[in-house]
Amino acid sequence: MNPELSIPVVDGLRQAGKHFFSMVSKVLDWLLPRHCLMCGLASGEGNLCPPCRADLPGSRQRCDRCGLPLHGHADSVCGSCLQRAPPWDRVIAALDYRFPADVLIQRFKFRRNLACGMVLAEELDNTLARELQTLPDAIVPVPLHHLRHARRTFNQSEVLAKRVAKALGIPLKTRLLLRNRQTHAQSDLDARSRRRNTRGAFHCRSAEAQGLEHVALVDDVMTTGATLEACTRELKRCGIREVSVWVVARAPPP
């Protein structure tokens, strides 16, 4: 960029660029109208039509520690978490893991449908905008082992984390937490086996953790929480005092 350009000129060019791309997007939506990812009908400017978006199972009171619905209780923490608190400090979950959220997540995760991922990221963004109390120092996606990453070609948690980091203006740390051994697919295991499966599977790089007090772990789904528990314990072992967990969907107890 020309160093002689003044700040107002640069800001004007940026605004003009945003306006141009917005106009191009509107023209493309008119020439090639979008169709709803769920029902297939015209969806306007979004990837879901208004009725299908309204069907997404979100907007309910949840436990601050585990993300499960509280079913109208006035307390912010459920009885189970009062008796045995998880290692992280707070959970924010956008949706329940049931239809149609489960369909969108499976298409995104296993069929690499990035349009579904965009819808899910938008739901997480909107939930964070409503519920977020303090900003973390960094955002950390739950990592994949490099062999699984190569087979799947992308890490769905990292895609979500990038979107959230950009929206909030927070650094994304993709090398802070690594998966140092390949584990069995968690979906095939019960709760006890999931914890055993993830024990020692993650490594936090101490050099990357320096200066970080609070980080947010981002994942697509929380089921038993075994993976997120292993990640949290490793992050805290490196001196990070506070860990928040942000997930698109919270599954019901098995």
Side-chain angles (χ1 to χ4, degrees):
M1 184 178 293
N2 188 341
E4 296 181 359
L5 289 177
S6 64
I7 292 178
V9 171
V10 172
D11 289 340
L13 290 173
R14 287 174 178 167
Q15 291 301 322
K18 290 180 181 179
H19 180 70
F20 172 76
F21 284 113
S22 175
M23 292 297 296
V24 169
S25 178
K26 290 179 179 179
V27 170
L28 289 175
D29 285 337
W30 180 74
L31 293 173
L32 302 170
R34 300 189 194 191
H35 292 82
C36 178
L37 294 168
M38 293 303 302
C39 69
L41 297 178
S43 59
E45 295 182 0
N47 288 311
L48 288 183
C49 67
C52 285
R53 186 172 286 278
D55 284 342
L56 290 175
S59 301
R60 62 164 70 196
Q61 186 183 9
R62 301 178 185 275
C63 172
D64 285 345
R65 299 303 299 271
C66 69
L68 288 173
L70 287 172
H71 303 295
H73 293 290
D75 296 331
S76 60
V77 179
C78 69
S80 297
C81 289
L82 288 174
Q83 294 178 1
R84 183 184 179 275
W88 53 76
D89 298 277
R90 194 189 176 198
V91 168
I92 294 179
L95 305 168
D96 291 331
Y97 188 68
R98 55 185 174 86
F99 185 84
D102 54 353
V103 174
L104 294 171
I105 289 172
Q106 289 166 18
R107 289 176 181 173
F108 172 46
K109 188 171 184 175
F110 300 114
R111 301 184 190 176
R112 299 186 291 277
N113 189 320
L114 295 180
C116 290
M118 185 179 298
V119 170
L120 299 170
E122 289 171 355
E123 290 300 313
L124 184 54
D125 281 346
N126 293 337
T127 303
L128 290 170
R130 291 193 306 268
E131 300 185 15
L132 194 59
Q133 298 173 348
T134 58
L135 290 176
D137 300 318
I139 293 176
V140 182
V142 172
L144 286 178
H145 189 267
H146 65 274
L147 294 179
R148 184 165 294 170
H149 193 290
R151 288 198 300 270
R152 194 176 289 175
T153 71
F154 81 121
N155 178 358
Q156 75 281 354
S157 300
E158 186 173 330
V159 172
L160 294 168
K162 283 181 179 178
R163 165 67 184 258
V164 171
K166 183 177 180 181
L168 295 176
I170 299 173
L172 178 69
K173 297 284 188 179
T174 59
R175 300 296 295 171
L176 172 62
L177 190 65
L178 306 177
R179 192 184 289 252
N180 54 23
R181 68 175 176 84
Q182 193 168 16
T183 56
H184 297 291
Q186 292 283 77
S187 57
D188 299 331
L189 305 174
D190 59 25
R192 180 176 297 178
S193 299
R194 287 179 182 224
R195 289 189 175 88
R196 187 164 51 246
N197 187 43
T198 56
R199 191 175 298 137
F202 299 95
H203 172 68
C204 178
R205 302 176 72 188
S206 299
E208 293 280 338
Q210 289 184 2
L212 298 178
E213 297 285 334
H214 177 197
V215 302
L217 268 172
V218 173
D219 205 0
D220 55 345
V221 180
M222 180 195 292
T223 307
T224 64
T227 298
L228 292 160
E229 183 173 335
C231 291
T232 299
R233 294 191 187 282
E234 182 62 14
L235 289 169
K236 291 198 171 186
R237 184 193 64 78
C238 277
I240 296 172
R241 294 193 303 175
E242 185 176 354
V243 176
S244 298
V245 169
W246 298 347
V247 293
V248 169
R250 181 62 163 100

